[in-house]
C-alpha cells in the first residue's frame, strides 16, 4: 500500500497566486497593487524556492497588468478631457442664470 500525502499537491494556479502574493503588497486607494522591492533577489529566490523563469514570468505578468491599467487610465483621461468644454459651457450658463436671478431680471427662455 502506498501512503497518500497529507496535503494535496499544489496546482500551477495556486503556485502562481502564491508568487503574486509574494511580489505584491496591499493595493493603494485606487485598488492598484504595489510591488515589493526585493533587496536581494538571490536570497528571495532561494527562500521561496523559485526559479529564474518563474520569477521573470511573474514580473512580466505584473508588468502587463500595469500596462493595461495605464492604458485604461489614459483612455479615461482622454474621455474626461473631451467633456471639459461642455462642462465649462454648462457652468457659464448656470452662472448667467444665477446672475439674472440675483438681479431679479425677467428673462425669456426658448427651448428647441
Amino acid at each position: 500500500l502506498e501512503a497518500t500525502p497529507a496535503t494535496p499537491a499544489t496546482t500551477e494556479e495556486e503556485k502562481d497566486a502564491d508568487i503574486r502574493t509574494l511580489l505584491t503588497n496591499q493595493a493603494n486607494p485606487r485598488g492598484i497593487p504595489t510591488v515589493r522591492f526585493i533587496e536581494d533577489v538571490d536570497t528571495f529566490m532561494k527562500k521561496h524556492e523559485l526559479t529564474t523563469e518563474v520569477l521573470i514570468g511573474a514580473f512580466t505578468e505584473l508588468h502587463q497588468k500595469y500596462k493595461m491599467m495605464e492604458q485604461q487610465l489614459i483612455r479615461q483621461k482622454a474621455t474626461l478631457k473631451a467633456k471639459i468644454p461642455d462642462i465649462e459651457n454648462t457652468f457659464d450658463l448656470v452662472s448667467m442664470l444665477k446672475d439674472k436671478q440675483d438681479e431679479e431680471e425677467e428673462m425669456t427662455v426658448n427651448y428647441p
Side-chain angles (χ1 to χ4, degrees):
L1 290 174
E2 278 186 48
T4 56
T7 57
T10 57
T11 64
E12 286 298 317
E13 290 177 6
E14 290 171 336
K15 287 180 184 177
D16 288 345
D18 290 342
I19 293 168
R20 282 191 294 271
T21 303
L22 291 173
L23 298 178
T24 59
N25 291 329
Q26 293 105 7
N28 68 11
R30 295 182 119 185
I32 301 170
T34 58
V35 177
R36 293 179 191 211
F37 179 77
I38 300 171
E39 188 85 26
D40 186 356
V41 177
D42 194 38
T43 304
F44 179 83
M45 288 175 59
K46 286 177 184 173
K47 178 180 176 184
H48 299 290
E49 300 175 359
L50 299 171
T51 64
T52 306
E53 292 81 15
V54 170
L55 193 59
I56 289 174
F59 273 116
T60 301
E61 181 182 333
L62 282 171
H63 182 259
Q64 289 172 346
K65 286 181 181 181
Y66 284 122
K67 293 301 283 180
M68 186 177 66
M69 287 183 226
E70 178 186 34
Q71 291 302 317
Q72 205 171 14
L73 289 172
I74 289 170
R75 283 192 304 273
Q76 184 180 16
K77 181 179 176 182
T79 300
L80 293 173
K81 273 188 168 186
K83 292 179 181 180
I84 290 175
D86 287 339
I87 293 170
E88 288 174 340
N89 288 339
T90 303
F91 178 75
D92 291 341
L93 178 62
V94 170
S95 296
M96 183 199 63
L97 291 171
K98 177 77 172 124
D99 290 342
K100 296 285 185 181
Q101 181 184 21
D102 290 344
E103 295 171 4
E104 295 181 6
E105 185 177 320
E106 197 171 305
M107 185 170 59
T108 305
V109 179
N110 296 317
Y111 294 98

